[in-house]
Amino acid sequence: MSQPLPAVAVTMGDGAGVGPEIIVRAFAEPDVHARCRPVVVGDAARLAEAARRCGLADAVTVRRVAGPAEARPAPGVIDVIDLGLLPAGLPFGELSAAAGEAAYRYVERAARLAVAGEVQAICTAPLNKAALHAAGHRFPGHTELLAHLTGTPEVSMMLATEKVKVIHVTTHLGLIDAIERIDPGLVERTVRRGHRTLVDAGIARPRIAVCGINPHAGENGLFGRGEEEEKIVPAIQRLRADGIDARGPLPADTVFFVAGRGDYDLVVAMYHDQGHGPVKILGLEAGVNITVGLPVIRTSVDHGTAFDIAGTGTADHRSMVEALRQAARLAPDPAAS
């Protein structure tokens, strides 16, 4: 008897961005439906319009379903829970409070489905933070929004590529605020979440590199004000005492190179750009965003709404395909839900 495929709720993101297009292109890939039962939470009319703009109107079918249980994986079929929130004729590539409100509602519905066990994972197309804020939802991004909707006090952002995985101690904070926020407890909890995720993925003893904050990880007090000794070293000592192979603090300007050649399974970045920059050098199509610590699996593309090309039918869908693959790989057994 074949293993049942996990159900994955795919949120459409900001309808004025590239989300509808990358979903349409991804659902046209046979490999996606071979791995999971994807169901879009979004607007059916917008997906049909995106299919026309991508030149795929004859290759895909948009099918409305009441819930994930009705989703049937079939190449070229886009099962969608149609919330019907977007106004007709909404322009592509323009900031819209209506699109921001709809994007929020898609995530809200997906979170409810996941917590109820109707789907085993969530995969998100990009939303636009300014549009989200214009609609009155003051969240920095998906990570914080999903933490709020699932009642999770603390989560971490992990970026995964074929060569390197990075988990962030802080994310959407200004640099000065991020440095103030970092403390040994937060560093320790972040490393433990990353360690648990890799163990669950089959890596029995993950090798974890922990970045410093200052150039050269402070170089024994030469740079900075002792942040490494104060904020990072105590956490590493506690982690190693518990048998977790966490090493550092290490200079961020070299650690990604050695991680990329295979010396480490995970890099712990202290702030947003320290981790995001190296991953995006590898190519936006290669990166997948994973929220670690939620009661459900959540993956996402590692790029934004791309208003400059939205509606042109040219958006690259490879990161969406990879995000769906990762969601299917990390999702729990549907039979256990």
Side-chain angles (χ1 to χ4, degrees), residues 8-9 11 107 110-111 114 119-124 146 296-300 327:
V8 179
T11 58
V107 178
V119 298
Q120 285 71 55
I122 297 171
C123 180
T124 58
L146 281 163
V296 297
I297 294 299
R298 179 260 173 166
T299 66
S300 177

Side-chain angles (χ1 to χ4, degrees), residues 12 39-47 62-67 79-86 106 109:
M12 199 178 77
V39 57
V40 180
V41 182
D43 274 53
R46 196 62 164 183
L47 291 167
V62 178
R63 181 172 63 189
R64 291 174 174 85
V65 296
D79 287 325
V80 55
I81 300 172
D82 182 20
L83 300 193
L85 297 174
L86 295 178
Y106 305 150
R109 175 67 67 86

Side-chain angles (χ1 to χ4, degrees), residues 135-206:
H137 303 293
R138 308 296 294 185
F139 296 94
H142 272 116
T143 301
E144 296 82 1
L145 173 54
L146 281 163
H148 167 74
L149 291 171
T150 59
T152 306
E154 189 174 272
V155 296
S156 297
M157 177 188 292
M158 179 184 289
L159 301 181
T161 72
E162 185 177 345
K163 286 189 174 183
V164 66
K165 292 180 176 63
V166 185
I167 193 168
H168 293 69
V169 175
T170 66
T171 50
H172 298 117
L173 291 173
L175 185 55
I176 293 174
D177 294 333
I179 293 171
E180 290 180 354
R181 173 78 185 280
I182 297 166
D183 64 32
L186 180 57
V187 172
E188 181 181 354
R189 295 191 300 274
T190 301
V191 175
R192 289 187 186 276
R193 279 190 285 270
H195 178 267
R196 171 48 54 190
T197 299
L198 294 189
V199 169
D200 289 346
I203 302 174
R205 185 170 167 76

Side-chain angles (χ1 to χ4, degrees), residues 33 39 51 86 89 91 96 108 125 150 157 172 199 213 231 250 265:
H33 294 82
V39 57
L86 295 178
S96 164
E108 182 183 51
T150 59
M157 177 188 292
H172 298 117
V199 169
I213 296 172
K231 297 172 176 287
L250 300 170
D265 301 298

Side-chain angles (χ1 to χ4, degrees), residues 18-19 22-23 26 123-127 142 159 280 284-290 298-305 316-324:
V18 296
I22 61 174
I23 288 172
C123 180
T124 58
L127 51 73
H142 272 116
L159 301 181
K280 290 187 176 181
L284 291 177
E285 75 282 352
V288 173
N289 185 326
I290 303 170
R298 179 260 173 166
T299 66
S300 177
V301 296
D302 186 30
H303 60 74
T305 47
D316 191 326
H317 65 292
R318 285 176 291 176
S319 186
M320 174 56 75
V321 171
E322 185 59 28
L324 280 162

